[in-house]
Amino acid sequence: MLVAFAFLRVLAVRTTPLLYHDTDEYRRLQFLGGRRPWTVPLFFWFMPSDQWRIVEQALISAVAWVTVALVVAAAIDDRWIRRATIATFLAVGLTTQITNWDTAILSDSITISLTVLLIASWIAVYRAPGRWSVVGVLAATTLWTFSRELHLYITAAVAVLVAVVVVVRRLRSAWRIVAVGLVLISGLAVAQSRSNQNTAVENLAGVIGARVLPDRNVRQWFVDAGMPAMPQLAVGQFHPDKELLALPDFNRWARGSGWWVFGRYLLTHPRAAIPGPYGELLEERPTYADEPPGNAVLLSPAEAYGRSRPVLPAGIENVLFNPGRTGSLLTFAAVALGGTLILRSRTGPDRRRHIPIIAIVVALAYVALAWHGSVYEPGRHAMPAAAAVRVGLFALLAVIADGAVSSRGQMATEAPR
């Protein structure tokens, strides 16, 4: 299977790089003060040209999907389910919605791959905490945290959660090292984020101009919370980010307390925080008389910023990762939920289910943060979460299938003669 995967992964790769307006920002490596976090620029720095960066991104992607396939399979007892697990993860890594990003000289391919590696490293350290698994999870977390601005918040939240669990449950030294490492990574990420706030300020200006200023009541709430009144901007209208950033008062507010105010608004207005991102998770089929729906389908983005060759049968690809379609994903989720509840009632808790479930939950939180953090390219920004949901679901289904086989075998053994 690994040989077949390598062969098909090579065939999928196209060699013509696709460049975008922010490509140059990922070619410049700066650990502090850079407009972009340093992980992707560091990887790009090693390559002499964009063509070689395509090869690099394809190689990192292949390593990520092989790693998660083998890590998940190592926790499966039944031989045939183990093989099916490896085949499933390798097939997901061959879908065009994963492979097409290799030719885009942006952060997406490496970020998606690091997300997959991060989940694999957490499964490994949770299953057997030791020297190498701890090093692996901290290395993957470091690279992932500095691959996008948004990841700081996820890492910081996980660091707090792990630290609390370590203290309350008095876990052994391996987990103490993980907790300390996560806190240090979060601190470094905060320092890096504060060293250059240009991207964050531009994203905030876009959010304010598109989602705050057009609503009179919401705008007034922000003004009461300290945002400049900006009477020169018409109430009830959309205002682009460049128009807002040209105003010195707004610029100072955005660089100071802007994001804190916006976060406080979301925490105190759940009706504004929840429907937006989660209303665009799934596809909608319109009637023949309707315009095509404008929702982003965040759990199965249709964006294709790069090119790749399809190497899987269309039917298999449509089941695993069909751009813009979420029917199969919902079916997998329903089976996973039902299987988890049934097995829990029959065999009790299973530690192997914990990390896949956590990965799915964190991915949904990631989608919400990405949607609220920017009005630009929501599908593209949700791609790491879409990949994480699939990794979590397929890992969970593998564990459920293995538990069902083991349970059936146990009942057969214990049945009266």
Side-chain angles (χ1 to χ4, degrees), residues 206-262:
V207 171
I208 296 296
R211 297 176 183 158
V212 172
L213 298 185
D215 189 309
R216 184 185 301 271
N217 294 329
V218 176
R219 176 173 179 159
Q220 187 58 50
W221 187 96
F222 274 82
V223 171
D224 293 341
M227 185 182 77
M230 298 177 289
Q232 65 271 46
L233 301 183
V235 177
Q237 293 186 13
F238 165 83
H239 294 278
D241 57 347
K242 292 182 179 179
E243 185 178 2
L244 288 171
L245 293 175
L247 303 176
D249 289 345
F250 178 84
N251 217 314
R252 282 192 295 270
W253 174 80
R255 292 181 182 276
S257 59
W259 276 114
W260 292 106
V261 172
F262 185 70

Side-chain angles (χ1 to χ4, degrees), residues 20-104:
Y20 294 88
H21 70 277
D22 49 352
T23 292
D24 281 339
E25 297 174 0
Y26 294 106
R27 291 174 176 151
R28 293 194 292 268
L29 175 60
Q30 288 181 274
F31 288 98
L32 282 177
R35 182 175 169 84
R36 301 292 180 178
W38 54 261
T39 293
V40 175
L42 177 63
F43 279 111
F44 283 178
W45 180 79
F46 288 108
M47 296 295 110
S49 67
D50 289 334
Q51 283 78 11
W52 278 105
R53 290 177 182 122
I54 292 175
V55 175
E56 179 186 43
Q57 293 190 132
L59 180 60
I60 295 172
S61 176
V63 169
W65 289 100
V66 169
T67 300
V68 76
L70 297 180
V71 167
V72 175
I76 304 301
D77 296 324
D78 183 81
R79 180 178 61 179
W80 291 105
I81 296 175
R82 189 185 311 128
R83 292 174 178 174
T85 299
I86 295 173
T88 299
F89 279 106
L90 296 183
V92 176
L94 292 172
T95 58
T96 54
Q97 198 56 7
I98 295 296
T99 60
N100 91 88
W101 296 98
D102 295 341
T103 56

